[in-house]
Amino acid sequence: ETGVTQTPRHLVMGMTNKKSLKCEQHLGHNAMYWYKQSAKKPLELMFVYSLEERVENNSVPSRFSPECPNSSHLFLHLHTLQPEDSALYLCASSQGQAMNYGYTFGSGTRLTVV
Amino acid sequence: AQKVTQAQTEISVVEKEDVTLDCVYETRDTTYYLFWYKQPPSGELVFLIRRNSFDEQNEISGRYSWNFQKSTSSFNFTITASQVVDSAVYFCALGTGNTGNQFYFGTGTSLTVIP
């Protein structure tokens, strides 16, 4: 059991569906992240929240919408996705800047868009 | 520009063999941090090591060792006497003071240890 929990572990959704990914951390960290992991590609940073405020959005399509209601919870709301959005979505947290201590990752949500 | 290259896509070794995973990085920043993560089949990336740019001492932790060489911009990872449980995808990552919370990850090396 890691300190970062992601649900669901697997998700299959149609292109017209709306779904949400959930991430929860109990480490007392003050920053949370969404990463996308596609086959044969480096991990791509999608969103960064620090002290519950979004500080970075790396030009992610608007069909992905993050929400951070408090320092322990992070959501990724999905709507009208495309098949190329199929990937492993990883949540991570850190205390302060990530490079000081590194990230703690969750196990990810394997998303398949059909 | 920041970049991490892991040229080895897949490696297979027989149990008890030693194996080295290569990592080459690019950055113009003088202060930076290098990381290795392990991703087992369960999916989560597990932190292995963090090294800052001012500390070139090599490090050993059990069967794991890391060789940091600024002259060649490399941060290689060696597993001695490999075991089946070492089978995973290993990622090298770079973080700098100018990139804030963003790491630059390599594409990973998939290691299979054959019993």
Side-chain angles (χ1 to χ4, degrees), chain A residues 2 9 31 33 35 37 40-43 45 48 50 55-56 58 88 90 94 96-107, chain B residues 9-10 31-33 35 37 39 41-47 50 89 91 95-107:
Chain A
T2 67
R9 290 298 309 272
Y33 313 79
Y35 269 91
Q37 184 178 15
K40 310 298 183 186
K41 290 186 178 181
L43 272 72
L45 180 64
V48 178
S50 178
V55 296
E56 288 186 49
N58 287 358
L88 181 67
L90 290 161
S94 70
Q97 283 210 322
M99 63 181 171
N100 291 331
Y101 300 103
Y103 298 119
T104 299
F105 283 92
S107 298
Chain B
T9 305
E10 297 179 1
T31 301
Y32 54 89
Y33 299 82
F35 298 80
Y37 283 87
Q39 186 178 38
S42 54
E44 81 278 13
L45 276 77
V46 177
F47 170 85
R50 167 186 177 271
V89 181
F91 290 92
T96 78
N98 288 330
T99 62
N101 285 310
Q102 179 169 358
F103 285 7
Y104 291 85
F105 284 85
T107 50

Side-chain angles (χ1 to χ4, degrees), chain A residues 1-64:
Chain A
E1 179 80 29
T2 67
V4 178
T5 303
Q6 289 187 244
T7 55
R9 290 298 309 272
H10 301 274
L11 177 63
V12 179
M13 60 185 289
M15 289 190 285
T16 58
N17 291 159
K18 290 185 180 180
K19 296 286 184 184
S20 295
L21 309 185
K22 180 182 177 181
C23 176
E24 190 171 354
Q25 60 97 1
H26 300 287
L27 300 167
H29 289 173
N30 57 14
M32 297 185 76
Y33 313 79
W34 282 115
Y35 269 91
K36 177 183 179 183
Q37 184 178 15
S38 304
K40 310 298 183 186
K41 290 186 178 181
L43 272 72
E44 302 171 50
L45 180 64
M46 301 177 71
F47 300 103
V48 178
Y49 277 84
S50 178
L51 298 173
E52 301 160 42
E53 288 192 12
R54 189 160 76 189
V55 296
E56 288 186 49
N57 172 1
N58 287 358
S59 303
V60 178
S62 60
R63 57 186 183 268
F64 295 92

